[in-house]
Structure formats: C-alpha cells, structure tokens
Amino acid sequence: MTATDRSLELVRTAAQAAADKLAHDVIAYDVSDVLSITDAFLLASAPNDRQVKSIVDEIEERLSKELGAKPVRREGDREARWVLLDYVDIVVHVQHSEERVFYALERLWKDCPELELPADAKATRGKGKEHAELRAEEDDTEFGEPR
C-alpha cells in the first residue's frame, strides 16, 4: 500500500506552508505500509516556541483554505515544544529543534519511503544544524571565546 493522492496533496501543501514560515529540516515519510492509522508523517522543526506556533498555524490555515482539511486532533499547543496535527490521512509533527534532536523521529521511520516535497521544503534540510552552529559561535563570541 502507498500513500493516497489526497495524502500526498496534504503533505506537499503542509510542507510548503512550513517552508514559507522558515521551518527547519522538513521531511515526509510514507508510513502506510507500517501503520494502518495514517498514510504519511510530515516532520518539521524550529529553533523557538514562537516559530513552532507560527509554522503550525500556517499549516493549519493553508490546509483549511486550499484543501478544505481540518485536523481531527491538535496536541501540544500549550508548551509549543512539539505540536501534532492529526489529519487522519497525514500526521504533522512540528517540534522545537531540541525535541527534534532528542526524539529523532527520523530514526524510527528511516526504513519508510521518503515522500517528494516542494523545492522550498527540500531547501530547509540542514537548516537546523546551521542554526545550532551559528548559535554556538555567537555564544562563544559573547563569552570572549572565539572558535
């Protein structure tokens, strides 16, 4: 079994929305062969809680306006460290960068086929690492310890 056309449409639209809000490391997996409850997982991250919320809001708004899709469940809003949007056909995970590293969902789903995403979403790959390195350099410089 593979992800349905509807699932792929939802994933592509959500991925573009995440990329438009400067999400990091957007990736999607076809999990339809291993899970019966959904076709695809979309993962994205951001370096702070405010940006996580902004990405989630944009995904929700874009899927509603463009595709008439509303999540059946939304979890994690209060802390905005890991927000889950369940659209039945797809599940969107937007995580704070620290949670993304800690939980490493990619490791769990690495055997599942990766889904094709819009170019803007693909361009987000590696942004989380770049951001972390930049922050580390800024922190070192701030404390007078250049690298």
Side-chain angles (χ1 to χ4, degrees):
M1 187 171 200
T2 60
T4 65
D5 289 343
R6 173 68 172 168
S7 297
L8 297 174
E9 184 179 35
L10 290 166
V11 162
R12 285 194 287 278
T13 302
Q16 184 63 54
D20 290 348
K21 286 296 182 176
L22 307 178
H24 294 169
D25 304 309
V26 178
I27 192 166
Y29 295 100
D30 181 338
V31 297
S32 61
D33 281 343
V34 293
L35 292 176
S36 60
I37 57 171
T38 192
D39 282 348
F41 278 167
L42 177 72
L43 312 175
S45 55
N48 60 62
D49 301 353
R50 184 182 308 159
Q51 193 173 354
V52 168
K53 284 183 180 181
S54 177
I55 293 165
V56 168
D57 290 345
E58 183 67 15
I59 290 170
E60 206 169 2
E61 183 176 326
R62 195 88 59 92
L63 290 179
S64 177
K65 280 185 179 178
E66 294 179 17
L67 303 176
K70 295 195 185 298
V72 295
R73 192 173 76 206
R74 181 176 173 156
E75 294 182 8
D77 265 344
R78 192 171 301 136
E79 297 83 28
R81 301 287 293 181
W82 181 348
V83 179
L84 180 143
L85 297 172
D86 183 350
Y87 286 90
V88 180
D89 294 324
I90 71 167
V91 176
V92 178
H93 299 268
V94 183
Q95 299 174 296
H96 189 286
S97 299
E98 293 169 359
E99 268 69 14
R100 179 84 178 257
V101 170
F102 182 79
Y103 290 101
L105 295 179
E106 290 92 338
R107 244 188 15 241
L108 294 173
W109 306 111
K110 70 178 185 240
D111 294 334
C112 295
E114 197 175 313
L115 295 172
E116 188 66 26
L117 296 177
D120 291 343
K122 285 184 192 177
T124 67
R125 303 280 171 85
K127 295 290 184 187
K129 184 177 179 184
E130 287 176 24
H131 184 268
E133 289 170 354
L134 183 61
R135 286 288 305 256
E137 287 177 17
E138 290 172 354
D139 289 348
D140 285 351
T141 303
E142 183 178 320
F143 295 108
E145 302 170 13
R147 287 187 163 222

